[in-house]
Amino acid sequence: MTTRHFPYIIADNVLSPLGSTTAANYEAVRAGRSSLARYAGRSKRPRVGTSAGMDDFVASCFSEAQRQALMVDGLTWFESLVYHSVSETLTHCTIDVASRRTLLVISTTKANIEHLSSPDYERLQPAESAKRIATLLGVTTPPLVVCNACISGVAALVTAQRLLMAGLYDTIIVTGCDIISHFIVSGFQSLKALSPEPCRPFDIDRIGMNLGEAAATIILTNGEGLRVNGYWLLVSDQWSMVSGAIRNDAYHTSSPSPKGDGCASAIRYVIDGTDPRSLSAVNAHGTATLFNDQMESVALAATGLSQTPTNSLKGYFGHTLGASGILETIITMHSVASGELPATRGFSESGVSGKMTLSASPMAVSGHSFVKVISGFGGCNAALYCTNTPPTPSPTENVAPTTLRIMHSVEITPSRVTIDGRECPIEGEGADILTWIYKNHIGSYPKFYKMDRLSQLGFVASELLLAQEDPRKGPCTDRAVVLFNHSSSVCADRAFAQTIVPGEDYYPSPSLFVGTLPNIVCGEIAIRHGYHSETSFYIMSEKDESMINKVIQSTFLDKTVHSMVTGWVDYQDDENFEAKVMIIEH
């Protein structure tokens, strides 16, 4: 049996308003510089697209000069940032991007959402955009998009780590990016989450978060590639990703669990067998929102990390959404390697109940490992454990199950419903089918009527699916929910966009905005059934059964996952949707 090494980081890049390289960004952070600036809500700044009714906000945005220098002909602003970040990273290593054993994984929350009203938006949706970027870079394998709300970046790294450990690829390029748009600013303002001044993570006077735009890239390779191709010569202290975990609160789609259950569970998994006192640092999410900071403090205290030097980087870059997990992992990796953890900019006095070791000044750190923690809408939480002195994994740590059993299956289209291959009598057609299924087979869960269409589809499909199980099995809290589609949350996106038109009708809907994250459907299923295991959402250019099977297979490397609700859930409009979901066990 072959024992694979934990994946090594062979190159990285951070592209932000503070600089176009990791070195430039790291030095800016060490110098205490921030790219946060104030923007007037009623300005005519065309890129952000602010309009009457929008409040002032503080954010980290590229300047117009930077934008012009970075724009690539034929690409959107989002695509240009991704392309530049990956291209810069590739200059620091030698890999075969055209190999069928090389994969591109992109993490993002809203990608090209600023082009939603474009007549050719179909080709600008996340999966199609990723495909175009991959082609330009010379990557020949179909790319994978991770869209798991604010944890997308760490979730993408966890996915890559598993795929490499399972031996399914040799090299994976993981890049995260989001840009600031009228759509995103309006959404967070509708939730009353944005601060009109620089954020203050974990501080007693914190009043909200700042958004940021950036791209960040990490290239990972397995141990075999490191030895054969001499990558070790390019690795600074040979940092590797040893463990990652994704967990759900099963509490609420837009508010974290006050007990920090999901976050603490993810941390416990990644540091299992490790003395917390040996950790150099923890990089927290630290959004400077009231409830997220409080939740994180409770989770860190519950997992024995109160004494571990901890920081947040949001005061330098803002919350960069799909890029944040990757960007902050890179900066923390270089910080620990240098022996100094950057100050938590904006922090002065603790305003959380959980004990944490925070500082408004840089902290000296020793050791060789750190934990990255992050949380997001849909009840999702993630943690990542990195070290530059990786242990030797046991053979069982990288053996994904090769035999998976489909226990039950459900398929729903605008005209047909099948359960375990048997056609189910229905009434109506199109979107009316979903309401008919709810009324006739589910009922007693009125929250259904508040869900976006994608969530309604996934919800009724999963309810029909789970109803086929033997009731004597009892509750299954360790079941994962891993779903895939092509069109992300486009139906909810268009519904929310109708509420943010400029002028007197400007009134962004907070409930509709939350539904513009496709992973919300996973959260809804987890909340309904009390699933505290992984919830993840992936977007693909087409229904690639081979890639879907690889992701499912590698997810079972998480030893707490024993069964899974998984499959395809896509809702383009009321006449075009499909759910094909299964319960899988191993």
Side-chain angles (χ1 to χ4, degrees):
M1 181 181 293
T2 300
T3 299
R4 297 182 179 87
H5 288 260
F6 293 112
Y8 284 89
I9 297 171
I10 59 172
D12 58 73
N13 168 260
V14 173
L15 172 58
S16 85
L18 286 175
S20 60
T21 64
T22 296
N25 279 274
Y26 176 58
E27 288 305 317
V29 170
R30 287 193 67 192
R33 296 199 302 273
S34 170
S35 52
L36 295 173
R38 187 182 183 90
Y39 296 96
R42 291 169 177 78
S43 73
K44 298 299 180 182
R45 188 168 182 265
R47 180 155 60 87
V48 175
T50 51
S51 63
M54 183 181 287
D55 295 329
D56 293 356
F57 61 97
V58 169
S60 170
C61 298
F62 286 91
S63 69
E64 291 303 320
Q66 289 174 318
R67 176 183 170 88
Q68 291 175 18
L70 291 168
M71 281 295 293
V72 177
D73 288 344
L75 297 184
T76 65
W77 176 226
F78 164 79
E79 293 164 355
S80 296
L81 289 181
V82 173
Y83 176 77
H84 275 294
S85 183
V86 176
S87 296
E88 159 64 21
T89 313
L90 289 171
T91 66
H92 296 279
C93 61
T94 303
I95 64 171
D96 183 2
V97 294
S99 169
R100 301 302 294 177
R101 301 277 296 176
T102 298
L103 175 69
L104 173 65
V105 178
I106 295 179
S107 69
T108 186
T109 63
K110 298 313 299 177
N112 288 310
I113 194 62
E114 62 180 353
H115 296 279
L116 179 63
S117 60
S118 170
D120 61 346
Y121 183 65
E122 168 62 27
R123 76 177 193 89
L124 297 177
Q125 287 190 39
E128 298 303 317
S129 185
K131 188 176 179 180
R132 188 161 49 257
I133 294 168
T135 299
L136 192 59
L137 290 167
V139 178
T140 60
T141 53
L144 183 66
V145 176
V146 178
C147 196
N148 230 22
C150 299
I151 77 165
S152 295
V154 171
L157 291 171
V158 172
T159 298
Q161 191 257 7
R162 292 171 178 165
L163 290 169
L164 289 167
M165 289 291 290
L168 298 170
Y169 293 93
D170 294 331
T171 305
I172 300 183
I173 304 165
V174 185
T175 184
C177 182
D178 266 303
I179 62 173
I180 293 179
S181 66
H182 183 203
F183 187 101
I184 291 175
V185 173
S186 296
F188 279 101
Q189 285 197 339
S190 75
L191 296 169
K192 309 298 182 185
L194 297 187
S195 170
E197 57 188 53
C199 63
R200 302 174 65 88
F202 300 106
D203 193 78
I204 193 170
D205 291 324
R206 68 188 185 280
I207 58 174
M209 61 183 278
N210 304 143
L211 291 168
E213 54 187 1
T217 302
I218 284 176
I219 298 180
L220 293 164
T221 186
N222 55 32
E224 288 81 357
L226 184 81
R227 294 197 304 273
V228 172
N229 297 324
Y231 289 144
W232 66 273
L233 295 173
L234 304 168
V235 178
S236 175
D237 295 325
Q238 299 183 6
W239 282 95
S240 63
M241 293 188 178
V242 173
S243 183
I246 302 168
R247 298 289 184 268
N248 201 283
D249 290 332
Y251 174 75
H252 196 275
T253 56
S254 60
S255 296
S257 166
K259 296 180 180 180
D261 300 326
C263 185
S265 177
I267 295 171
R268 288 192 185 97
Y269 184 86
V270 301
I271 65 172
D272 182 44
T274 300
D275 184 349
R277 292 172 297 181
S278 69
L279 287 174
S280 302
V282 173
N283 176 247
H285 194 29
T287 59
T289 54
L290 182 64
F291 297 114
N292 183 85
D293 285 10
Q294 168 62 18
M295 178 279 291
E296 274 197 288
S297 77
V298 171
L300 290 172
T303 51
L305 300 180
S306 293
Q307 302 300 320
T308 305
T310 301
N311 76 342
S312 166
L313 292 168
K314 298 298 190 295
Y316 303 93
F317 301 99
H319 186 350
T320 55
L321 305 176
S324 62
I326 302 171
L327 182 157
E328 292 167 7
T329 295
I330 293 170
I331 297 297
T332 305
M333 178 178 69
H334 287 273
S335 299
V336 172
S338 72
E340 183 180 270
L341 192 67
T344 297
R345 200 174 194 278
F347 174 78
S348 179
E349 179 182 353
S350 179
V352 293
S353 65
K355 181 174 173 52
M356 301 176 68
T357 302
L358 295 158
S359 177
S361 303
M363 289 184 281
V365 295
S366 59
H368 306 277
S369 58
F370 69 90
V371 169
K372 168 62 191 160
V373 181
I374 200 162
S375 304
F377 289 153
C380 54
N381 305 268
L384 191 69
Y385 174 73
C386 299
T387 178
N388 57 12
T389 55
T392 300
S394 68
T396 59
E397 284 183 286
N398 53 15
V399 179
T402 55
T403 303
L404 300 174
R405 296 174 294 162
I406 299 176
M407 310 305 294
H408 300 283
S409 63
V410 165
E411 187 170 359
I412 300 175
T413 69
S415 60
R416 189 166 177 262
V417 176
T418 62
I419 301 175
D420 288 336
R422 303 183 306 273
E423 191 155 347
C424 175
I426 56 173
E427 294 180 11
E429 59 182 16
D432 293 339
I433 286 179
L434 305 184
T435 303
W436 186 90
I437 295 172
Y438 170 76
K439 289 181 177 179
N440 289 272
H441 291 272
I442 305 166
S444 69
Y445 198 71
K447 189 181 177 185
F448 167 83
Y449 293 104
K450 294 185 177 181
M451 295 179 189
D452 64 276
R453 288 296 200 191
L454 179 65
S455 292
Q456 286 184 337
L457 175 61
F459 177 80
V460 298
S462 65
E463 289 296 294
L464 293 179
L465 182 70
L466 296 167
Q468 309 313 305
E469 290 194 301
D470 187 338
R472 292 173 296 181
K473 291 183 66 174
C476 180
T477 60
D478 60 357
R479 176 170 285 156
V481 182
V482 180
L483 300 177
F484 306 79
N485 81 1
H486 166 72
S487 53
S488 185
S489 54
V490 66
C491 189
D493 293 344
R494 288 174 175 144
F496 176 71
Q498 293 300 311
T499 73
I500 58 173
V501 294
E504 295 180 358
D505 293 330
Y506 175 82
Y507 191 78
S509 167
S511 60
L512 290 179
F513 177 65
V514 173
T516 65
L517 296 166
N519 72 300
I520 294 300
V521 60
C522 303
E524 294 285 14
I525 296 169
I527 292 168
R528 166 69 160 168
H529 297 282
Y531 295 159
H532 290 273
S533 188
E534 174 165 340
T535 54
S536 290
F537 202 96
Y538 300 89
I539 307 174
M540 318 173 83
S541 60
E542 59 186 16
K543 193 187 295 182
D544 185 338
E545 297 291 349
S546 174
M547 176 59 77
I548 289 173
N549 289 336
K550 287 178 180 178
V551 172
I552 291 172
Q553 180 184 348
S554 62
T555 300
F556 280 108
L557 282 173
D558 185 321
K559 300 306 179 184
T560 69
V561 176
H562 302 292
S563 69
M564 184 186 302
V565 172
T566 187
W568 189 264
V569 181
D570 197 28
Y571 201 105
Q572 297 179 44
D573 55 48
D574 291 348
E575 284 74 45
N576 298 278
F577 57 83
E578 178 189 14
K580 188 174 182 179
V581 296
M582 303 161 283
I583 296 176
I584 289 182
E585 296 181 356
H586 74 93

